[in-house]
Amino acid sequence: MDASALPLLDQRIADCRACPRLVSWREEVARAKRAAYADWTYWGRPVPGFGPADARLLIVGLAPAAHGGNRTGRMFTGDRSGDVLYEALYDVGLASQPTAVHAHDGLELYGVRVTSPVHCAPPANKPTPRERDTCRPWLVQELRLLRPTLRAVVVLGAFGWQAALPAFTEAGWSVPRPRPAFSHGARVPLDGLELFGCFHVSQRNTFTGRLTPEMLRDVLRTAARVAGLPCTD
């Protein structure tokens, strides 16, 4: 793979203005800000994926948070969901540090890339089906670029699962028919990789105990081992 291909895709994603409702919302949030971040210059654009171009494990979320990725410009960075995800990745040996505060905080991912099926922060964290489908070509292109090394994918939540399966089909993988249903712990073999389902790292799930840190670490460890990545017990 051309080493510049994924960075160029990331740049094109960051320049996208295809969905008027999302463009309006992300930019309004960036102007109004949250009082706690009044001194920040918000990113206010689509948030591209984060992680190496030769990743063996991909994590697929939902969409950037209004005052998380939409503020910092990096996936799962600067919000509670990201705190949970990156701490778990650090605990199993797949991240250089347990925190993700801003895009230049030194965080590195080891063999892992993080992306989402919708790259703009949506109102109420709810993209429409049309917005999901409009954004799908970006995920398809990212999957095609990652395919030479990709061996496992962890999809966080039912929305991401429903968005990812058609993208895998368009990217050239054979997805079973009927499409497998989402569940925490779901495991689906595709052509040369394994697809894992995991509850989303949302506050609703983590605060209620529906998703515990150990449940998340268990999924990440299993996926990392399938991908051939070293991880800690």
Side-chain angles (χ1 to χ4, degrees), residues 5-16 26 43-52 58-65 68-77 86 103 109 112-121 135 138-139 142 145-146:
L6 198 55
L8 286 174
L9 177 64
D10 291 343
Q11 182 178 341
R12 291 175 60 208
I13 290 171
D15 290 337
C16 183
R26 80 192 191 207
W43 172 255
R45 301 165 64 189
V47 181
F50 168 55
L58 181 67
I59 298 173
V60 179
L62 190 162
N70 189 58
R71 171 173 59 91
T72 63
R74 193 174 71 190
M75 281 287 170
F76 280 105
T77 298
Y86 288 122
L109 300 182
V112 180
R113 185 169 172 87
V114 182
T115 192
S116 65
V118 175
H119 287 276
C120 290
C135 210
W138 296 128
L139 180 56
E142 189 170 13
L145 291 174
L146 293 171

Side-chain angles (χ1 to χ4, degrees), residues 5-124:
L6 198 55
L8 286 174
L9 177 64
D10 291 343
Q11 182 178 341
R12 291 175 60 208
I13 290 171
D15 290 337
C16 183
R17 300 182 65 85
C19 299
R21 187 182 79 114
L22 297 187
V23 171
S24 176
W25 172 252
R26 80 192 191 207
E27 293 180 356
E28 173 57 28
V29 169
R31 285 190 296 268
K33 305 182 181 181
R34 177 176 282 173
Y37 307 121
D39 59 343
W40 276 76
T41 298
Y42 274 52
W43 172 255
R45 301 165 64 189
V47 181
F50 168 55
D54 60 350
R56 299 181 66 84
L57 170 61
L58 181 67
I59 298 173
V60 179
L62 190 162
H67 301 282
N70 189 58
R71 171 173 59 91
T72 63
R74 193 174 71 190
M75 281 287 170
F76 280 105
T77 298
D79 61 67
R80 294 288 182 86
S81 294
D83 292 344
V84 172
L85 176 62
Y86 288 122
E87 183 174 6
L89 286 169
Y90 174 78
D91 287 345
V92 300
L94 299 176
S96 63
Q97 60 192 46
T99 57
V101 180
H102 57 81
H104 304 290
D105 60 8
L107 174 64
E108 294 182 60
L109 300 182
Y110 304 137
V112 180
R113 185 169 172 87
V114 182
T115 192
S116 65
V118 175
H119 287 276
C120 290

Side-chain angles (χ1 to χ4, degrees), residues 50-224:
F50 168 55
D54 60 350
R56 299 181 66 84
L57 170 61
L58 181 67
I59 298 173
V60 179
L62 190 162
H67 301 282
N70 189 58
R71 171 173 59 91
T72 63
R74 193 174 71 190
M75 281 287 170
F76 280 105
T77 298
D79 61 67
R80 294 288 182 86
S81 294
D83 292 344
V84 172
L85 176 62
Y86 288 122
E87 183 174 6
L89 286 169
Y90 174 78
D91 287 345
V92 300
L94 299 176
S96 63
Q97 60 192 46
T99 57
V101 180
H102 57 81
H104 304 290
D105 60 8
L107 174 64
E108 294 182 60
L109 300 182
Y110 304 137
V112 180
R113 185 169 172 87
V114 182
T115 192
S116 65
V118 175
H119 287 276
C120 290
N125 292 320
K126 293 182 179 179
T128 67
R130 183 172 183 175
E131 289 162 351
R132 174 201 64 199
D133 294 346
T134 298
C135 210
R136 182 180 299 147
W138 296 128
L139 180 56
V140 171
Q141 292 178 63
E142 189 170 13
L143 290 171
R144 286 172 174 162
L145 291 174
L146 293 171
R147 183 159 190 166
T149 58
L150 193 61
R151 296 297 177 266
V153 179
V154 173
V155 182
L156 302 174
F159 181 95
W161 186 268
Q162 293 163 3
L165 291 179
F168 275 102
T169 298
E170 290 185 35
W173 277 272
S174 296
V175 176
R177 303 288 296 185
R179 288 176 182 161
F182 171 79
S183 65
H184 182 83
R187 183 168 176 174
V188 179
L190 300 182
D191 305 324
L193 64 77
E194 296 274 338
L195 185 64
F196 295 86
C198 179
F199 289 140
H200 196 278
V201 289
S202 66
Q203 293 183 56
R204 181 175 60 184
N205 287 337
T206 57
F207 284 7
T208 62
R210 188 181 191 214
L211 178 67
T212 66
E214 187 55 39
M215 288 168 65
L216 177 58
R217 289 195 295 266
D218 283 347
V219 173
L220 293 175
R221 283 193 194 99
T222 302

